[in-house]
Amino acid sequence: MSEQKSLSVEVGAALPAADGAGGVVGVGVFTDGPRVPEALDGDLRELCERVTGEGEFEGEEGTTLLIHAPAGEGGTLRRVLLVGLGARAEFDAAAARRAAGAAVRAAKSGRAGTLHFVVPSSTDVRALAEGAHLGLYENGFYQKKDEEDSPRLERLTVIGAGESSVEKLERARVVAESANWARRLADEPGLSLPPREFARRAAEMAEEFGLKVESLGVEEIRAKGMGGLLGVGQGSEEPPALIAVRYEPSGAKEDDELYAFVGKGITFDTGGISIKHGLDMYEMKSDMAGGAAALGAVRAIAQLKPNCRVLAVVPAAENMPSGKSIKPGDIVRTFAGRTIECVDTDAEGRLVLVDGIAYARHLGATRIVDLATLTGSIIVALGSHRAGLFSNEDEWARQVLEASERAGEPAWRMPVSDDYKKRIESMIADYKNYGGRPDATAAALLLSKFAGETPWVHLDIAGTAWHDAPTPYAPKGASGAGVRTLVELVLSEE
Ligand code: BES
Ligand code: MN
Ligand code: ZN
């Protein structure tokens, strides 16, 4: 399992006269005129205009076409990859990210080592670079590959987009690599990523980037009275863990704002005694995607060094059926002291999250975002394009919503209100964990009871964290959802 080496991205002034062996020239093409970028000139411009003008390439998003152009003397040819950009008026940062993903994936399958990409002057270079780094992620890490035989795309030179800064390109690299790091964890099978191993990977990452680790083992979890996390984890041979990693800028003060990212860390969700049916159950290896995103975000933040304090908290457990499992009707006493009746053991995410949220507040969190692959219900409502956003504070909700939009990971606000409180009322305990539809809303309401007065946003990423089919910058599988949003949130606060 080799680490994926990073692509080097730079901005170039002009297209070189010839490409080295294994080089490809990418040309962005709109569906409407002027079809090709301003920066393209000479014979190449003429050729691209002819090919697009004759309807051989429409420029639709997600399409590419490889053609060959004569280059210099002696009949040598140059490989030209036409990359669809869609409609001119809709070419925003998100479209640039997608186009870059499609371009690098096509260049790579054409076994190119370098790509010179000629793009329109309006291109958002940071988004373009992000899409390129994200697009190169692959999840075949258990496949036998002959390294010699698979050349990798090493360099991307962006031409025609105008000025960009080294900082922007660096930020794109750091954010996308951290999203890829989170994807890697969420694509990892449950077998090789039980809670303690998840904690070990977090600690390894923290060590690499100078973060402080404050994780707890099962005995500390018990001693602190985190009954939600303990209850969900008790059916497994693998003990639960509470992963906590902290970023502090130099000169940080105790009363500075403390952002807490709380991520659901179910390393595998069988449903427990309320067991799931088998169809696609394997996807539940990614039920810790929220936790991976929270950690991925601090991984990026540690490198980008904003001037604010950030804490990632990941309650991690494996939800298994066994003779020791929590049963429907059992009651857990949470870290916050309130009790929850577990009427459905498959509604386990909220049980571990309430302990994570309460613990983050205990550690001094002044603003919270939790991320969780929490409910099938949110997939019914929003599909895989937008996450569900729930909040107890309008201004904080607006900030997270806007960050998610800028990051190209859009969300949609859903209600949290006591109108739905019947869904979480228990006869015997303070709350229950399931009460029928609408479940995403009920789950959010339960979480809100543990966020209290602290500004809190809950992102239900059940639909966005896993893709059933490849997208322009991700293969089928874990998407890394949330990492870009959280980094954008913290860095835009600067
Ligand atoms: N991890 C699942 C939610 C989920 C479902 C994520 C599909 C991604 C894809 C969660 O723990 C769960 O099982 N939710 C149940 C709750 C229900 C039984 C109360 C659900 O939504 O079906
Ligand atoms: Mn479940
Ligand atoms: Zn789950």
Side-chain angles (χ1 to χ4, degrees):
M1 271 192 273
S2 63
E3 273 291 305
Q4 280 164 355
K5 287 204 206 84
S6 78
L7 170 77
S8 105
V9 181
E10 61 198 18
V11 170
L15 211 51
D19 313 296
V24 168
V25 176
V27 175
V29 177
F30 284 120
T31 51
D32 51 338
R35 307 277 304 276
V36 299
E38 304 88 314
L40 195 66
D41 53 18
D43 293 347
L44 208 51
R45 177 174 200 94
E46 214 171 284
L47 175 75
C48 291
E49 278 178 342
R50 205 171 71 218
V51 171
T52 58
E54 284 169 6
E56 281 179 70
F57 186 69
E58 304 281 3
E60 295 290 349
E61 243 199 49
T63 62
T64 58
L65 178 69
L66 188 67
I67 60 176
H68 290 86
E73 307 294 301
T76 49
L77 291 173
R78 174 170 229 190
R79 294 196 292 166
V80 179
L81 180 73
L82 302 181
V83 180
L85 304 178
R88 205 164 246 286
E90 279 151 38
F91 189 65
D92 55 5
R97 206 179 275 109
R98 292 192 293 266
V104 296
R105 283 153 78 96
K108 190 174 160 190
S109 65
R111 306 169 70 81
T114 63
L115 170 65
H116 286 87
F117 194 11
V118 189
V119 297
S121 59
S122 61
T123 304
D124 182 323
V125 180
R126 175 154 76 86
L128 189 87
E130 261 177 31
H133 292 293
L134 290 166
L136 289 176
Y137 173 79
E138 275 182 293
N139 49 18
F141 32 78
Y142 284 101
Q143 286 167 351
K144 179 172 181 294
K145 271 196 228 106
D146 192 330
E147 290 287 325
E148 296 289 290
D149 196 44
S150 51
R152 61 180 194 95
L153 184 65
E154 287 177 358
R155 194 150 43 88
L156 166 65
T157 308
V158 183
I159 292 158
E163 285 295 288
S164 184
S165 62
V166 174
E167 288 75 31
K168 276 190 193 168
L169 293 175
E170 179 61 5
R171 177 163 159 188
R173 182 189 67 80
V174 166
V175 172
E177 278 182 10
S178 294
N180 288 343
W181 180 85
R183 287 170 164 183
R184 174 74 177 76
L185 287 170
D187 275 325
E188 185 77 43
L191 175 66
S192 47
L193 198 79
R196 278 182 304 182
E197 174 62 11
F198 193 10
R200 197 193 63 74
R201 303 266 189 112
E204 197 176 76
M205 178 279 285
E207 160 101 33
E208 183 177 355
F209 297 105
L211 294 161
K212 222 163 99 196
V213 181
E214 300 170 19
S215 302
L216 310 176
V218 65
E219 286 317 321
E220 291 159 295
I221 292 168
R222 197 187 314 280
K224 290 199 186 300
M226 297 179 171
L229 178 56
L230 211 57
V232 170
Q234 76 189 37
S236 171
E237 296 287 322
E238 295 288 345
L242 187 292
I243 306 168
V245 172
R246 195 189 281 266
Y247 163 75
E248 274 192 340
S250 51
K253 292 189 294 295
E254 273 288 304
D255 56 352
D256 284 350
E257 197 92 75
L258 174 60
Y259 295 90
F261 303 152
V262 181
K264 173 175 173 182
I266 299 299
T267 59
F268 196 85
D269 181 13
T270 63
I273 296 298
S274 316
I275 199 163
K276 292 179 181 296
H277 55 71
L279 189 70
D280 290 337
M281 198 206 273
Y282 82 98
E283 285 176 21
M284 288 300 118
K285 67 180 183 172
S286 65
D287 209 18
M288 34 52 72
L295 291 164
V298 282
R299 181 188 185 276
I301 286 164
Q303 297 169 75
L304 299 170
K305 301 191 176 15
N307 189 28
C308 62
R309 303 190 298 154
V310 184
L311 172 71
V313 173
V314 181
E318 187 179 64
N319 189 20
M320 293 289 280
S322 80
K324 289 186 183 153
S325 294
I326 190 169
K327 298 171 289 297
D330 285 354
I331 293 169
V332 296
R333 184 173 296 277
T334 66
F335 179 69
R338 269 158 304 163
T339 55
I340 305 178
E341 182 186 7
C342 175
V343 298
D344 190 319
T345 67
D346 198 10
E348 84 297 341
R350 53 206 90 176
L351 294 180
V352 305
L353 277 173
V354 297
D355 277 344
I357 290 169
Y359 191 59
R361 292 179 75 203
H362 170 76
L363 293 179
T366 57
R367 280 171 190 281
I368 298 174
V369 178
D370 83 64
L371 305 97
T373 47
L374 204 60
T375 68
S377 156
I378 204 70
I379 311 178
V380 175
L382 299 174
S384 61
H385 188 62
R386 283 179 192 264
L389 183 149
F390 301 81
S391 180
N392 60 359
E393 217 247 354
D394 289 348
E395 176 55 22
W396 184 228
R398 188 187 60 76
Q399 286 178 36
V400 178
L401 212 48
E402 286 180 8
S404 79
E405 205 68 47
R406 285 197 303 277
E409 298 182 319
W412 195 260
R413 189 157 180 196
M414 306 288 267
V416 179
S417 85
D418 276 329
D419 298 333
Y420 300 95
K421 71 170 188 237
K422 282 266 172 298
R423 304 266 170 272
I424 59 166
E425 270 170 10
S426 164
M427 298 244 296
I428 182 168
D430 294 326
Y431 304 108
K432 66 181 174 193
N433 74 336
Y434 180 63
R437 293 174 188 166
D439 180 50
T441 317
L445 181 61
L446 182 64
L447 300 183
S448 77
K449 302 296 178 193
F450 292 78
E453 300 299 305
T454 309
W456 154 85
V457 160
H458 159 55
L459 290 171
D460 192 335
I461 57 171
T464 56
W466 180 272
H467 294 148
D468 290 328
T471 71
Y473 48 83
K476 173 180 172 168
S479 70
V483 174
R484 277 153 38 212
T485 297
L486 295 178
V487 176
E488 185 71 36
L489 180 68
V490 165
L491 269 89
S492 68
E493 293 276 288
E494 285 281 270

